[in-house]
Amino acid sequence: MKLLLKSTWIWLAALALATAPTLVKAQDEAADLKTVAVVSIAPFQKVLGDFQYLSELADQANFGRMAAMMSAPFTQGIDKTRPIGVVVRTDGQQFSYIGFLPVSDLKSLLLILQDQVGEPQDMEDGVFLLEAPLPIYYKEVDGWAFVAQDKESLANTPAKPADLLGTLATDYDIAVKLNLNNVPQLYHEMIIAQIRSGIELSLEQEPGESDETFAERQKMVELQVAQLERLFTEITDLTIGWNVDKAAEKTYFDLSYNVLPGSKLAEQLAMNIGVTSDFAGFLNEQAAGTLHIASKIAPEEIENSVKQLNAGRQKAFAEIENNDDLDEKSREAANRLIDLSFDALIETVKAGKIDMGMTVDLAPSKMTFLFGAFVSDGKRVEDGFKEMMKLVEDQPDFPGVKWNADSHQGVNFHVVEGPVPATEEETRKLFGETLTIVLGIGEKSAYLSIGTDAIAKLKKAIDDSLASAGQPMTSPATIVVSSKPILEFIKSIDDNAPIEAALEALGGKDAQLTINGTVSETGTKSRVSLDVGVIKAVAAAIAVQQAEKEAADAAEEAEEATEEAEEATDDF
């Protein structure tokens, strides 16, 4: 996911490629053209049907009907059962495109669009030119209207253009595939140069930042630019797609990429195939929210991460030094805490893996937060916690720490427990009259639990993790957010009409937002999936909230009118 996010700029590159000046090779050299990008739109009847489906779920059916009515005149003559596509190609120096539109009656379509595109001009060989708004050449062949920016590009049109889309049109409503390995090196260098120039212009020394710290920050930026350069070299293709699956009652967004065999990225992917976890018990998809990550870190990434953490340590020291609210004792304790914390993080990173899980468990008027993670040295984390307690032990309301209050499966529990003041009404609604915080320390693990039944639930998560230890994870990273327990919890502490309406819209079922992914030796795919029940629940809540607002506004207007009438009567 991190690599995909860093590749966002590729969208801008694709736009630049599609609109760049073109120099197309002669017909006998057309085979040398390489595909840089493919844009796919599923058959219009599916796209429109999916839009209407989502509009109805969102209680905005009028938008769906309006879209159907507005699009009807402009889609006459289009075959709505076949996909639409655009292919951007390069000859190694410049770029050209060819688009294809399935048609049943092209003349009817052009007649409708005549006011926007003008009269077609016959350019011979079956090619016509439309002047406005930009020059577009088109040619109809076997039920397909091909478009390009010059006549030569239409000399050899593909017999089966839909085949150029691969499975994009069947997998997604809308999708874009970028073949980065086909982008000429010249453009690689231009884009990297622009990125580097922009970063250098924005990189300034902050007030109070030492020359040494600024120099380290510059090095970190240089590392990031180098990583971008490597992405250009090692990622062969990137696909982004959105789809609606009515049968599964989901809509989802995919980001996937493939890499060069034998590259460093390929090595990193191979490392994470079938990765196991010692904290899978914290992945509870029935909870209100859950997060789990299990992955291995490549050696070069370890080195970069250590550099970044050390730079963060120095910045934290500087902030403490410049904090006038800290006395000398607090400053020393804070510095020790930072040292211990960053040392623990660095040693854990050097171990070459990330293994952690988190759960937010909600029930009516009850909340528990659970967290567990691999650490290279549990004792060092414990020492950091002790330094943290020194910073607050002099506070009058601090209840103290029960050191080694309990233990389970080789994990020692340290407990901070105290009453929640009656004045803290919101906190009481979340955690009850007593707040319990548990820190668990194992030889190679650290745990945190806060809230209702904190110790008991933490023990269960540890037991579940031990029971599944060593089993391969289906996804290196998973996030699940469940709407039903969240809404039920909110209703228990603040019963209101919008929340009740959202729960009714769910119909007793749960609906989730899920983020996960898969890894292979050649690439990876990440998916953000949303159950349509979430859309229905949100729409129902908004509708009730809007109705309440309109009623309140009407009541306020009526009250103002009454007051004005009374004032007028008094004046009379």
Side-chain angles (χ1 to χ4, degrees), residues 3 23 103 143 194 223 242 249 281 338 349 369 403 420 436 451 469 556:
L3 294 175
L23 178 62
V103 292
Q194 288 296 321
L223 283 173
W242 167 74
E249 296 187 322
I338 287 172
V349 168
F369 171 84
W403 300 103
V420 178
T436 303
E556 185 178 350

Side-chain angles (χ1 to χ4, degrees), residues 35-105:
T35 299
V36 173
V38 177
V39 179
S40 170
I41 301 175
F44 185 77
Q45 66 179 14
K46 180 182 186 309
V47 176
L48 180 60
D50 287 345
F51 180 78
Q52 291 177 311
Y53 172 65
L54 294 178
S55 298
E56 291 171 2
L57 290 172
D59 196 24
Q60 299 294 329
N62 286 337
F63 282 113
R65 288 191 287 269
M66 186 180 301
M69 288 188 297
M70 292 181 65
S71 64
F74 299 101
T75 56
Q76 288 186 31
I78 294 179
D79 183 347
K80 301 178 181 63
T81 65
R82 292 184 290 166
I84 300 169
V86 178
V87 177
V88 180
R89 300 175 295 184
T90 181
D91 62 358
Q93 295 181 355
Q94 304 292 339
F95 300 89
S96 63
Y97 76 86
I98 183 169
F100 42 91
L101 180 73
V103 292
S104 55
D105 188 349

